[in-house]
Amino acid sequence: GSIEHDEVFVPKPKSEIEWYYKQYDRFASHYDPYSPIYNARERLQIYISDVGVIVTICALYHSALAKGLAWLICIYVLPLLILNGIIVFITYLHHTHTSLPHYDSSEWDWLRGALATVDRDYGVLNKVFHNITDTHVAHHLFSTMPHYHAVEATEAMKPILGEYYQFDGTPVYKAMWREAKECLYVERGEEIKGVFWYKNKL
């Protein structure tokens, strides 16, 4: 829920949306240790990550030579794309909803940030995904709790959290379409200046 310190699914203020504002003064790449998206203390980590990417590409290349490109696509590429697509989809919907606030450093604290997520109902897929879909609030509050206690913990904490517990039972395909249309950027709230809310009026 932190506008300043989160690393993924961080909503931008309207003034910083790409078609309004150029964020960096030069090309930004996740593979360039000197990219403007990184600071000096992160450079070594990017070098290490780049080496890992190169080693992985070499291993995949040799696997394709040994087993064939079709084998590599079926065994590695397609499962990777499907898994990552599912993870991004689920994570996006957990952290994107018009009822979820985001905070700058003047208002953010751990509890507020942990509660800035929403549980959703994926039907039978809740069990397939070990209930991370419908118990994500509990996961934020108790991140080391085993997943097999998440449903029980969620039911126990609902009456304690009351209005601070967020759940949206909208079918996920409809929710994805709605959030993509309604959650384009954030703007400061009128009552508390350090709290931001999703907006969509361009």
Side-chain angles (χ1 to χ4, degrees):
S2 171
I3 291 285
E4 299 170 11
H5 300 294
D6 280 356
E7 295 182 357
V8 294
F9 296 107
V10 183
K12 294 187 180 301
K14 185 175 184 178
S15 63
E16 293 183 16
I17 295 178
E18 287 182 14
W19 59 80
Y20 286 106
Y21 176 80
K22 190 170 182 298
Q23 188 170 4
Y24 304 116
D25 59 354
R26 64 185 181 86
F27 180 70
S29 169
H30 284 95
Y31 300 102
D32 177 6
Y34 294 90
S35 175
I37 59 179
Y38 301 120
N39 59 41
R41 69 176 176 79
E42 295 171 314
R43 286 195 183 117
L44 177 61
Q45 296 171 16
I46 306 310
Y47 279 117
I48 293 169
S49 175
D50 288 348
V51 169
V53 169
I54 291 167
V55 168
T56 301
I57 289 171
C58 290
L60 292 173
Y61 173 75
H62 288 291
S63 296
L65 289 178
K67 295 284 192 173
L69 183 60
W71 178 89
L72 183 67
I73 289 171
C74 290
I75 296 299
Y76 180 79
V77 176
L78 290 178
L80 182 70
L81 292 176
I82 291 167
L83 176 65
N84 281 309
I86 290 169
I87 289 171
V88 169
F89 179 82
I90 290 171
T91 307
Y92 174 79
L93 286 181
H94 277 147
H95 300 99
T96 309
H97 193 277
T98 54
S99 69
L100 297 179
H102 288 78
Y103 306 95
D104 69 15
S105 57
S106 70
E107 292 293 330
W108 183 91
D109 62 37
W110 180 87
L111 184 58
R112 281 180 163 178
L115 291 174
T117 188
V118 61
D119 284 348
R120 296 190 183 265
D121 185 6
Y122 284 64
V124 69
L125 292 177
N126 289 335
K127 293 290 182 203
V128 173
F129 297 134
H130 300 288
N131 293 101
I132 194 63
T133 48
D134 60 336
T135 64
H136 200 70
V137 176
H139 164 72
H140 271 216
L141 293 172
F142 310 103
S143 60
T144 59
M145 175 181 56
H147 69 83
Y148 47 83
H149 288 306
V151 173
E152 178 186 356
T154 296
E155 291 307 313
M157 72 182 199
K158 282 181 186 178
I160 297 167
L161 292 176
E163 65 179 290
Y164 297 103
Y165 172 75
Q166 299 283 340
F167 176 82
D168 185 354
T170 305
V172 291
Y173 66 92
K174 288 183 179 178
M176 183 66 179
W177 178 252
R178 183 190 63 208
E179 283 16 319
K181 286 191 316 181
E182 295 183 5
C183 301
L184 298 182
Y185 59 88
V186 291
E187 286 188 328
R188 288 183 191 274
E190 294 178 5
E191 296 177 10
I192 305 173
K193 295 301 181 190
V195 180
F196 296 75
W197 299 96
Y198 278 110
K199 304 287 182 185
N200 70 346
K201 302 295 184 223
L202 297 177

